[in-house]
Amino acid sequence: MSKIKPAKGSPYARILGVGGYRPTRVVSNDVILEKIDSSDEWIRSRSGIATRHWASPEETVAAMSVEASGKALADAGVSADQIGAVIVSTVSHFRQTPAVATEIADRIGAHKPAAFDISAGCAGFGYGLTLAKGMVVEGSAQYVLVIGVERLSDLTDLEDRATAFLFGDGAGAVVVGPSNEPAIGPTVWGSEGDKSETIKQTVPWDQYKTGDRFPAITQEGQAVFRWAVFEMAKVAQQALDAAGLTPDDLDVFIPHQANMRIIDSMVKTLKLPEHVTVARDVETTGNTSAASIPLAMERLLATGKAKSGDTALVIGFGAGLVYAATVVTLP
């Protein structure tokens, strides 16, 4: 018989607060068109993107995360010294080690929390949320800060007609804590490594030692579109099934803000009722990878398009290819 004492966690976990940070510089499609042969109409029709935010040198991955985290903590009514773990999802923090989560934890005033980064691309927020839920329920942390943050402008090839217009910068954060009722559903997640070449960094860091072109993100647009529309709708439905819900039970749908056409196609495939509010933050924020879901969540709540207590389906998907979907109660 095991001598290990059972953990003393909470029966359930929930999102208690959300915060977002968008860089001050707003970049129109006209700026993108300076280096690619395209048009504003083509970009809008292919992606739905009109503008995106690009970070200044001072708006680092850590700095943006600190701003978003402060808002999430205030929204949750939780102090930084109550945070037991900081989880950061990012692919654009250029130091392999130490994790940027440790710097963020120190800057917000957290007291010796567990702190680590995860690399799960555009699904990273969902991965982090699932880990946070487990920590709260298991009892290793009472409150967990989950951050999705990207400076994808650093990894954008402005001469690549297929991707130059897609990416933006920003940070989104949530505080996950105890709940007396289910408020974060079971997660449906996974990967399809045979498709890893469809979204990737052009040059590995070790090859850059002798290379003359900085690494950038590239993707096979049509292959990713087909995968996202057809396969991710199935995953979203599985998340609903796991939560014991139907599309009619939803108030809000917050998919990864990859592309407006993908979002609209998923809405159609899932047959979401008209009363469901759909996040379309991509139009003015672009694709911010791991930051896109919490940023979209924050904007919906701030503008009143969604409200506290709403039931939301969230799904992220991207490089790997990886994905994660769950149903949550909005803070």
Side-chain angles (χ1 to χ4, degrees):
M1 179 180 293
S2 174
K3 297 180 180 179
I4 299 173
K5 293 182 179 180
K8 296 181 179 179
S10 169
Y12 305 105
R14 69 182 302 118
I15 298 174
L16 299 173
V18 60
Y21 180 82
R22 292 171 174 80
T24 55
R25 183 187 176 193
V26 178
V27 178
S28 68
N29 288 338
D30 290 340
V31 174
I32 305 298
L33 293 171
E34 293 174 4
K35 293 194 175 183
I36 61 171
D37 181 17
S38 188
S39 68
D40 178 70
E41 180 183 4
W42 187 88
I43 292 175
R44 288 173 184 257
S45 66
R46 299 292 291 183
S47 70
I49 298 172
T51 59
R52 72 284 293 148
H53 295 255
W54 282 357
S56 67
E58 292 75 27
E59 292 169 315
T60 63
V61 165
M64 292 190 293
S65 297
V66 168
E67 292 292 330
S69 298
K71 294 176 182 177
L73 288 167
D75 190 43
V78 173
S79 62
D81 60 6
Q82 291 178 282
I83 295 297
V86 177
I87 304 172
V88 178
S89 177
T90 184
V91 298
S92 47
H93 174 58
F94 287 166
R95 291 192 178 186
Q96 192 76 32
T97 191
V100 72
T102 59
E103 177 184 349
I104 295 165
D106 180 63
R107 289 177 62 172
I108 66 173
H111 181 65
K112 298 182 179 180
F116 57 94
D117 298 352
I118 57 176
S119 177
C122 307
F125 175 74
Y127 276 49
L129 187 63
T130 302
L131 294 174
K133 172 188 172 183
M135 290 177 179
V136 172
V137 172
E138 185 270 338
S140 59
Q142 185 176 16
Y143 299 101
V144 181
L145 182 64
V146 181
I147 303 165
V149 57
E150 302 292 3
R151 270 184 58 120
L152 293 179
S153 57
D154 292 333
L155 288 170
T156 299
D157 182 351
L158 295 178
E159 296 179 0
D160 179 7
R161 188 173 183 272
T163 61
F165 56 89
L166 285 176
F167 302 116
D169 303 336
V174 299
V175 176
V176 177
S179 174
N180 292 322
E181 59 183 13
I184 301 176
T187 298
V188 177
W189 56 357
S191 65
E192 297 184 27
D194 60 315
K195 301 179 180 66
S196 61
E197 294 295 304
T198 56
I199 305 175
K200 64 180 181 179
Q201 183 173 303
T202 53
V203 182
W205 294 118
D206 58 350
Q207 290 186 25
Y208 186 62
K209 291 178 180 178
T210 57
D212 59 0
R213 186 159 186 159
F214 199 75
I217 295 173
T218 184
Q219 72 174 21
E220 297 174 15
Q222 287 301 314
V224 173
F225 179 86
R226 289 192 297 270
W227 175 76
V229 169
F230 297 109
E231 297 303 321
M232 291 306 95
K234 297 176 185 177
V235 171
Q237 183 61 56
Q238 290 169 14
L240 283 173
D241 294 342
L245 302 176
T246 70
D248 288 336
D249 296 314
L250 290 176
D251 301 303
V252 185
F253 178 45
I254 311 177
H256 164 49
Q257 302 293 292
N259 177 307
M260 195 74 80
R261 291 171 63 215
I262 290 175
I263 294 171
D264 290 341
S265 295
M266 290 183 72
V267 168
K268 183 177 180 180
T269 302
L270 286 168
K271 298 180 180 178
L272 294 184
E274 290 187 6
H275 75 261
V276 176
T277 298
V278 179
R280 291 188 170 89
D281 194 44
V282 66
E283 181 179 4
T284 56
T285 305
N287 178 342
T288 56
S289 189
S292 78
I293 290 175
L295 277 174
M297 183 184 297
E298 184 264 349
R299 175 161 281 174
L300 287 175
L301 289 166
T303 57
K305 294 181 179 179
K307 62 183 184 298
S308 175
D310 278 353
T311 299
L313 170 63
V314 300
I315 179 170
F317 45 87
L321 294 171
V322 295
Y323 53 88
T326 188
V327 178
V328 305
T329 301
L330 294 183

